[in-house]
C-alpha cells in the first residue's frame, strides 16, 4: 500500500473557506464604532471559530457558523437604520461560497484523488453559482431601491428578476438533465 499523499484539494478548500469566513467576520467591524464594535468583535471571533471548526473537523458546526456570521451582518444593518445595504449581495454570495467550500472540504477524501477535469468542473460550477447569487442579489437590491411611485419601473425590475430566476433554474435543470443521459 503506497503512503498517503497530502490531499491538496481538501487543504485548499479548508484554507479558502476560513479565509472567506474571516472576510465575512471582519468586514462588519469596520462599519461600526463604540461599544457596538466590541460586542461585534466577540461575535466575529465566535463566527470565525465556528467557521474554522466546520471547515476542519466538525461539519455539524456549519449551520451555527453561517447563522453567527449572518447575525453579525444583521446587527450592522439594524444599527444603520432603514437604508438599503449595497453590500448585501456580496454577503450572500460570500456565505454561499463559504458553505460550499466547507462542504467540499468535508466530502473530499484523502484516499480518493479527483481527476483534474473533475476538480476544474466543480470550481467552474461553484464560480457560476456564486456569480449567479451575486447577480440575483444585485437585481433584488435594485428592485428594493426603485422608488414607490413609479409602477412601470417596478414592474420592469420585477419581470427582469423573475426572468433571471427562471432562466437560472432552467439552466441548472438542463445541465443536470443532460448529465444523466
Amino acid at each position: 500500500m503506497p503512503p498517503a499523499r497530502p490531499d491538496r484539494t481538501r487543504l485548499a478548500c479548508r484554507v479558502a473557506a476560513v479565509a472567506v469566513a474571516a472576510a465575512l467576520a471582519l468586514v462588519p467591524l469596520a462599519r461600526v464604532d463604540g461599544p457596538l464594535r466590541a460586542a461585534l468583535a466577540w461575535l466575529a471571533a465566535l463566527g470565525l471559530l465556528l467557521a474554522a471548526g466546520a471547515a476542519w473537523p466538525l461539519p455539524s458546526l456549519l449551520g451555527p457558523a453561517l447563522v453567527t456570521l449572518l447575525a453579525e451582518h444583521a446587527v450592522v444593518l439594524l444599527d444603520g437604520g432603514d437604508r438599503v445595504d449595497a453590500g448585501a449581495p456580496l454577503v450572500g454570495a460570500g456565505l454561499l461560497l463559504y458553505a460550499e467550500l466547507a462542504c467540499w472540504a468535508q466530502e473530499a477524501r484523502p484516499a480518493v484523488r479527483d481527476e483534474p477535469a473533475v476538480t476544474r468542473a466543480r470550481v467552474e460550477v461553484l464560480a457560476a453559482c456564486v456569480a449567479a447569487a451575486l447577480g440575483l442579489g444585485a437585481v433584488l437590491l435594485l428592485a428594493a431601491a426603485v422608488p414607490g411611485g413609479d409602477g412601470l419601473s417596478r414592474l420592469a425590475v420585477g419581470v427582469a428578476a423573475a426572468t433571471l430566476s427562471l432562466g437560472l433554474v432552467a439552466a441548472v435543470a438542463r445541465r443536470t438533465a443532460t448529465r444523466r443521459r
Side-chain angles (χ1 to χ4, degrees):
M1 179 180 210
R5 295 183 294 189
D7 184 14
R8 291 185 195 126
T9 303
R10 191 175 199 181
L11 180 63
C13 287
R14 286 177 169 168
V15 169
V18 172
V20 170
L24 287 168
L26 294 177
V27 165
L29 291 176
R31 297 176 61 187
V32 294
D33 294 328
L36 183 59
R37 187 177 197 156
L40 272 182
W42 283 103
L43 192 59
L46 176 64
L48 192 53
L49 283 173
L50 289 170
W56 251 273
L58 302 169
S60 61
L61 293 179
L62 181 61
L66 289 170
V67 168
T68 305
L69 292 171
L70 188 58
E72 187 181 1
H73 286 278
V75 168
V76 171
L77 287 177
L78 291 174
D79 184 54
D82 61 349
R83 62 186 166 89
V84 175
D85 182 27
L90 290 172
V91 172
L95 288 170
L96 174 67
L97 180 61
Y98 162 72
E100 287 295 325
L101 287 170
C103 287
W104 190 358
Q106 292 300 329
E107 65 186 40
R109 297 287 169 240
V112 179
R113 296 190 61 74
D114 288 335
E115 292 292 325
V118 173
T119 303
R120 194 172 22 260
R122 188 161 184 181
V123 168
E124 289 171 359
V125 168
L126 179 57
C129 287
V130 170
L134 187 61
L136 190 58
V139 168
L140 291 174
L141 190 65
L142 286 174
V146 172
D150 192 9
L152 186 59
S153 51
R154 277 189 177 275
L155 178 64
V157 171
V159 167
T163 304
L164 181 66
S165 299
L166 289 174
L168 182 63
V169 169
V172 169
R174 182 172 170 217
R175 289 192 84 174
T176 303
T178 56
R179 269 193 245 151
R180 290 185 183 166
R181 290 182 186 166

